[in-house]
């Protein structure tokens, strides 16, 4: 492969990962904004019961699978690897979020919530990648 082709390949890989990441962030934050604006969630940085964190977890699951699928779909090759890279980024960012909010008060949610985000990142990435592989294999 030429240097130009190598560069194009790397750029496409980065774009695939960034696109999936942006899908997850935009949909998650957008849904959070709507939930707060409509009164389903309390005002920002106020206590929220566990049941609402279960709801937030549910839509984050869907958005994570979708974002990782998009990453796999846009990947120039090795779709599962790209999806799992995005999942690993999710693990790192979720861990940073957990550390940053761990003992900051009830308004940052129950302890299980950030731990759930960390633990689910790679399996959801795998699922997004798997969906793409099943498409490619015609199954």
């Amino acid at each position: 492969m030429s240097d130009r082709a190598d560069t194009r390949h790397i750029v496409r890989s980065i774009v695939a990962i960034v696109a999936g990441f942006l899908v997850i962030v935009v949909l998650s934050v957008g849904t959070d904004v709507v939930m707060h604006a409509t009164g389903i969630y309390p005002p920002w940085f106020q206590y929220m019961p566990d049941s609402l964190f279960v709801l937030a977890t549910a839509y984050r699951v869907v958005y994570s699978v979708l974002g990782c699928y998009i990453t796999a779909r846009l990947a120039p090759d090795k779709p599962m690897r790209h999806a799992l890279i995005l999942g690993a980024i999710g693990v790192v960012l979720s861990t940073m979020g957990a550390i940053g909010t761990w003992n900051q008060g009830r308004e940052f949610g129950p302890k299980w919530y950030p731990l759930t985000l960390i633990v689910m990142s790679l399996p959801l990435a795998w699922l997004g990648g798997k969906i793409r592989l099943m498409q490619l294999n015609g199954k």
Side-chain angles (χ1 to χ4, degrees), residues 50-105:
D50 280 16
S51 60
L52 294 178
F53 280 97
V54 171
L55 177 60
T57 302
Y59 60 77
R60 279 174 170 72
V61 164
V62 174
Y63 299 158
S64 293
V65 172
L66 176 63
C68 291
Y69 165 79
I70 289 170
T71 290
R73 175 72 178 84
L74 296 175
D77 62 0
K78 300 180 177 96
M80 183 62 79
R81 179 183 293 176
H82 285 78
L84 290 174
I85 288 170
L86 181 54
I89 291 168
V91 168
V92 170
L93 294 177
S94 296
T95 301
M96 290 171 47
I99 290 168
T101 62
W102 192 254
N103 286 319
Q104 298 301 311

Side-chain angles (χ1 to χ4, degrees), residues 21-69:
F21 177 78
L22 288 175
V23 164
I24 295 167
V25 170
V26 169
L27 289 175
S28 295
V29 172
T31 302
D32 289 346
V33 167
V34 169
M35 299 298 240
H36 285 286
T38 58
I40 294 170
Y41 288 176
W44 291 94
F45 305 110
Q46 299 295 314
Y47 168 76
M48 201 163 82
D50 280 16
S51 60
L52 294 178
F53 280 97
V54 171
L55 177 60
T57 302
Y59 60 77
R60 279 174 170 72
V61 164
V62 174
Y63 299 158
S64 293
V65 172
L66 176 63
C68 291
Y69 165 79

